[in-house]
């Protein structure tokens, strides 16, 4: 019995050591055994065993030498990029974006096209075809994807397999609709809120790097907010943190909302792209068909368009005043089709109004530098973390059994 317990303990320690070494190779890139020993706190012989196991399992490879003191050279190791693949998917109402990345995060293929999401089946068929295209372009099969990460509007209800609060994706509120995404690659997958992923993307690759407390404030076809508190994504008790579309901010009495406002949320009904257009039309701008039309007309000095933008500034300022009072973020990153492309019209006026609405100095407000890639990059970041664990579990290396 003692021998069995000892063997079990040894196996667990070996797994822990391999995971620690693998994680540091991910973090550091090309790295030597002495550097890994210092980074992990493990002995050089222990690191050597972990490196041998990980290399035998096809997860690491040798990539040359680095000159050291007294003429000694240290062998360098790096993650084998082809040891795993992540499929990142951004499911929007207007567009779908798909990117395939290797295990070190290099995007090797991507596609973007108008969404066919008016019916669940059509969208799944479209995503499956796009997954086939990007994997085929890389020379792997769909089933070789280690992990797929789907970013969608709304909240994924794991108990019913449906999406809540996603009016822009009709049909996905039905039971087990989300489970159909399993057909896209046939491999492991996760579903995350798209704006939450955008916040992760900003924290990993964008303006949120190194910022402990910030929010990603998205205004486009819909509205939403990803919340990062103390460096971590905050989801709330039911995953609904950041559903700002339902803030009681807009035109009229929130208790007397119209049916569309109840379905989409009062703030979203006035602040989204469609809300901006509707406001401009009510103010007399008859030629406005899209939010882009309104924004361009405002830049050109059109009175109705400028008034519509001023209304937008008022709505956004009131919403952010509430966010600042409750969360006290250091930074607000504006994104989405409206928020990400109207920084010149929104940022300074919103900050000026916030100075009169919040007790303390208002948070810094900047426009996302990731543009339309924020959700994809967030899905990639989440996928790489998950894929790293999955490849360790699947290799069959002595230390991962």
């Amino acid at each position: 019995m003692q021998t069995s317990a000892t063997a079990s303990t040894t196996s667990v320690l070996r797994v822990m050591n391999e995971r620690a070494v693998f994680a540091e190779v991910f973090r550091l890139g090309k790295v030597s055994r002495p550097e890994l020993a210092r980074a992990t706190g493990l002995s050089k012989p222990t690191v050597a065993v972990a490196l041998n196991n990980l290399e035998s399992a096809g997860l690491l490879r040798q990539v040359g030498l680095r000159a050291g003191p007294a003429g000694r050279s240290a062998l360098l190791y790096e993650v084998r990029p082809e040891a795993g693949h992540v499929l990142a998917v951004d499911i929007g109402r207007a567009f779908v974006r798909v990117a395939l990345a290797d295990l070190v995060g290099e995007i090797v293929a991507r596609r973007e096209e108008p969404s066919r999401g008016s019916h669940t089946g059509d969208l799944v068929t479209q995503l499956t075809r796009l997954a086939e295209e990007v994997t085929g372009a890389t020379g792997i099969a769909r089933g070789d994807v280690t992990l797929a990460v789907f970013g969608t509007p709304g909240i994924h209800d794991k108990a019913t397999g449906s999406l809540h609060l996603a009016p822009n994706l009709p049909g996905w509120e039905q039971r087990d609709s989300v489970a159909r995404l399993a057909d896209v690659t046939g491999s492991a997958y996760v579903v995350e809120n798209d704006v939450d992923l955008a916040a992760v993307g900003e924290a990993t690759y964008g303006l949120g790097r190194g910022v402990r407390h910030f929010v990603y404030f998205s205004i486009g076809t819909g509205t939403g907010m990803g919340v990062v508190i103390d460096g971590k994504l905050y989801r709330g008790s039911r995953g609904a943190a950041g559903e700002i579309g339902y803030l009681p901010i807009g035109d009229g009495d929130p208790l007397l909302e119209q049916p569309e406002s109840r379905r989409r949320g009062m703030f979203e009904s006035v602040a989204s792209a469609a809300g901006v257009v509707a406001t401009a039309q009510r103010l007399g701008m008859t030629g406005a068909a899209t939010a882009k039309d309104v924004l361009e007309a405002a830049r050109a000095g059109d009175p109705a368009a400028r008034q519509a933008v001023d209304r937008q500034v008022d709505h956004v300022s009131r919403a952010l005043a509430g966010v600042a009072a409750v969360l006290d973020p250091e930074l607000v990153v504006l994104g989405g089709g409206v928020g990400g492309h109207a920084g010149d019209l929104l940022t300074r006026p919103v900050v000026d109004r916030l100075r009169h609405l919040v007790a303390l100095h208002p948070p810094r407000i900047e426009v996302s530098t990731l543009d339309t890639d924020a959700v994809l990059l967030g899905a990639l970041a989440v996928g790489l973390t998950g894929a790293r664990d999955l490849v360790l579990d699947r290799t069959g290396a002595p230390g991962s059994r």
Side-chain angles (χ1 to χ4, degrees), residues 100-379:
L100 183 71
D102 59 28
L103 200 55
V104 297
E106 183 73 22
I107 294 178
V108 293
R110 62 180 296 165
R111 298 288 187 275
E112 175 181 332
E113 62 185 39
S115 173
R116 299 177 183 172
S118 56
H119 297 286
T120 309
D122 292 341
L123 181 56
V124 171
T125 298
Q126 180 183 23
L127 294 176
T128 303
R129 174 178 54 78
L130 291 174
E132 186 76 44
E133 290 179 6
V134 294
T135 53
T138 313
I140 67 171
R142 280 188 298 126
D144 292 331
V145 170
T146 307
L147 181 64
V149 180
F150 297 92
T152 74
I155 302 166
H156 178 203
D157 186 339
K158 296 180 180 179
T160 64
S162 60
L163 285 180
H164 297 315
L165 308 183
N168 293 320
L169 291 180
W172 289 85
E173 74 282 358
Q174 298 177 6
R175 189 179 187 88
D176 296 327
S177 59
V178 174
R180 300 193 62 177
L181 293 174
D183 298 332
V184 173
T185 65
S187 53
Y189 73 99
V190 295
V191 179
E192 298 278 2
N193 174 266
D194 54 357
V195 182
D196 281 349
L197 287 180
V200 173
E202 287 291 342
T204 308
Y205 304 103
L207 296 172
R209 282 179 295 183
V211 181
R212 302 293 294 174
H213 307 276
F214 78 92
V215 297
Y216 180 90
F217 198 91
S218 178
I219 307 172
T221 303
T223 59
M225 185 174 70
V227 182
V228 174
I229 298 177
D230 200 22
K232 298 180 181 179
L233 182 68
Y234 179 72
R235 302 174 186 276
S237 64
R238 292 171 294 177
E243 288 294 332
I244 57 169
Y246 294 88
L247 288 174
I249 295 171
D251 297 323
D253 188 337
L255 299 179
L256 300 175
E257 294 179 79
Q258 298 298 315
E260 179 66 12
S261 295
R262 289 182 178 275
R263 187 174 72 91
R264 299 177 61 89
M266 189 173 184
F267 178 67
E268 182 166 310
S269 69
V270 295
S272 65
V276 170
V277 173
T279 299
Q281 290 175 343
R282 286 198 303 271
L283 293 170
M285 187 180 171
T286 57
T290 67
K292 182 179 179 181
D293 294 336
V294 179
L295 298 177
E296 290 181 349
R299 293 185 180 102
D302 181 89
R306 291 181 69 87
Q307 192 175 356
V309 169
D310 192 60
R311 294 276 184 90
Q312 181 76 348
V313 167
D314 185 58
H315 299 322
V316 171
S317 299
R318 292 175 183 274
L320 285 179
V323 170
V326 174
L327 298 178
D328 187 27
E330 174 185 343
L331 169 69
V332 175
V333 179
L334 291 180
V338 175
H341 296 92
D344 58 322
L345 297 172
L346 296 179
T347 304
R348 182 172 295 179
V350 167
V351 171
D352 289 342
R353 294 196 189 183
L354 281 178
R355 290 195 178 100
H356 300 287
L357 293 173
V358 299
L360 299 176
H361 189 74
R364 180 163 48 99
I365 301 178
E366 297 189 30
V367 177
S368 173
T369 58
L370 303 183
D371 200 16
T372 58
D373 279 347
V375 177
L376 270 186
L377 290 173

